[in-house]
Every structure is written in structure tokens, then in C-alpha cells.
Amino acid sequence: MKFFIDTANLDQIKEAQALGILDGVTTNPSLMAKEGITGAENIVNHYKAICDVVEGDVSAEVIATDFEGMVREGEALAALNPQIVVKLPMIADGVKACKYFADKGIKTNMTLVFSAGQALLAAKAGATYVSPFIGRLDDVSTDGLGLISEIRLIFDNYGYTTEILAASVRHTMHIIDCAKIGADVMTGPLSAISGLLKHPLTDIGLAKFLADFKKGN
Ligand code: G3P
């Protein structure tokens, strides 16, 4: 499973990259605003800075909601760096723009996906990634992980190559469950990724090994 980090925070991106397990980055307008990155020029420069830190795919979201605007913004974003993946909202014009970019060989990530039907349309339009938001579904008492399973089944039935990118991952168990179900990618916060490291028996075992080594030396 690929690991993406879901943040625009450069320090956190660098920390995940230094761990050696990072395959890419996802951002969205809210995550940019959270870091105080505003204005078209600053946002573009921030995408460039992120691409300099990581080697993999970096999702950059369009703001336009009409086809022409999405194409204009997406082409400008894609021209910044070959690592850029154009992130498009799951609306009719987003699907049209997805097909447009797929035909041009530009990578896309269909975002704000909350149903299997939406994921199927994204795959048919040639999306590189489809992003079901599992945490936001859980927030409204709907089974986010169940949606990942449904999409996995549908994509496998027809051999769609669109990768299932589990998004709105909130904690460590989301990552483990997504891996069991067969999500191709997960994007989550650094805290959820770091949580995978933790086990008290590891800490206890290491302390004992070091204490025993000291006794013998
Ligand atoms: O990847 C999508 C993500 O940024 C949304 O996460 O926690 O705001 O639902 P969240």
C-alpha cells in the first residue's frame, strides 16, 4: 500500500519523508489555509516546495467548478512539475475534466467521493486516483471502510486501474483496516502514520535488551 501524507505542513512532510516510507502528498484548500498559505502565487510556490521535498505524487486541487476553469487551472498546476496530480471535485464538470486530462496523460485525483457510484464514474473517466473520504462518512454514522470494500470489488470486477486512495483517514486503525481491505493508497495525518510504530512490548523489549547488554559489559 502506498502511503501519502495529507497535509500542507512542510515540516511534517519532511519528517515523513525522512522515515523513508513516504510515497506522496495530498493537499486541499483547507489544508493550505491551515498553514496560512493564501494567494495564487504563494500556493503555487508551496506546491513547488512540496515537490522538492518528496519524490512521489503531489495532489494539487483546482478551485474552479466549471470545466473550462478546471482545465485552465489543472494545466497550469500540471506544468509546475511532473509530480503534480490534478485534484478535481466529484461533480459533472470534474468528471469531464478528468476525462480531458486522462486523454492528455495528465494524472488526476477525483476528490470528495462518498459513494461507489461516484467512484465507478471516476474510473470510467480514467482517473488515476479516486479519493473516498472514509473519516467524514464515519462522522455521519456511515461505514467509510465499507465503501472502500465496495469500490475494491467493483474495480476488481472490471480490472479498472484507477487506484483507490483512502482519504480522510483519521487514525492508525483506519490505515490497518484499509490495508486489510486492499486500498491501493492511504492518505492521512503524520499522527496516524507515526501511530503504526508504537507498541509497549517493543519499548519494554528494547529497554531489557539494552539493560542486559550493560550487565554483560
Ligand atoms: O484527504 C482528504 C482529507 O483532507 C479530508 O480529511 O479529516 O478533513 O475529513 P478530513
Side-chain angles (χ1 to χ4, degrees):
M1 182 166 65
K2 289 187 204 167
F3 273 34
F4 289 177
I5 189 167
D6 194 30
T7 185
N9 182 294
L10 271 186
D11 289 337
Q12 291 186 13
I13 294 170
K14 284 178 189 163
E15 195 175 330
Q17 175 67 27
L19 203 52
I21 50 78
L22 194 64
D23 299 298
V25 176
T26 52
T27 60
N28 62 40
S30 305
L31 292 171
M32 281 286 186
K34 191 174 164 197
E35 299 306 320
I37 318 283
T38 55
E41 196 182 332
N42 290 335
I43 289 173
V44 160
N45 287 337
H46 202 68
Y47 283 135
K48 287 185 191 163
I50 293 173
C51 289
D52 285 344
V53 172
V54 296
E55 281 164 23
D57 286 348
V58 175
S59 285
E61 189 158 342
V62 301
I63 303 300
T65 54
D66 63 297
F67 173 77
E68 287 78 14
M70 287 184 200
V71 165
R72 200 168 45 245
E73 274 184 50
E75 283 183 336
L77 288 168
L80 294 177
N81 190 301
Q83 288 168 257
I84 293 285
V85 176
V86 179
K87 202 172 181 188
L88 300 160
M90 187 62 222
I91 57 177
D93 279 33
V95 173
K96 288 182 206 167
C98 179
K99 177 76 171 80
Y100 172 89
F101 287 121
D103 288 347
K104 291 200 143 212
I106 292 174
K107 287 183 277 187
T108 53
N109 175 357
M110 290 304 289
T111 191
L112 292 166
V113 166
F114 293 96
S115 77
Q118 290 177 324
L120 180 54
L121 274 180
K124 285 191 65 66
T128 313
Y129 298 106
V130 62
S131 287
F133 276 31
I134 62 174
R136 290 194 195 182
L137 281 169
D138 290 353
D139 286 345
V140 293
S141 312
T142 304
D143 184 7
L145 290 164
L147 175 59
I148 301 285
S149 297
E150 277 186 71
I151 300 171
R152 180 76 282 154
L153 175 67
I154 292 169
F155 284 10
D156 289 350
N157 279 347
Y158 297 98
Y160 286 122
T161 55
T162 298
E163 294 188 48
I164 303 172
L165 196 173
S168 187
V169 161
R170 301 275 174 77
H171 50 75
T172 304
M173 276 312 293
H174 266 157
I175 301 178
I176 294 166
D177 286 332
C178 282
K180 284 187 193 166
I181 293 166
D184 299 291
V185 191
M186 80 81 206
T187 190
L190 183 61
S191 58
I193 296 171
S194 305
L196 292 169
L197 274 171
K198 293 177 194 158
H199 200 287
L201 290 179
T202 303
D203 299 335
I204 292 166
L206 181 60
K208 173 124 179 53
F209 284 155
L210 295 179
D212 288 345
F213 174 80
K214 264 192 194 164
K215 274 188 227 160
N217 287 279

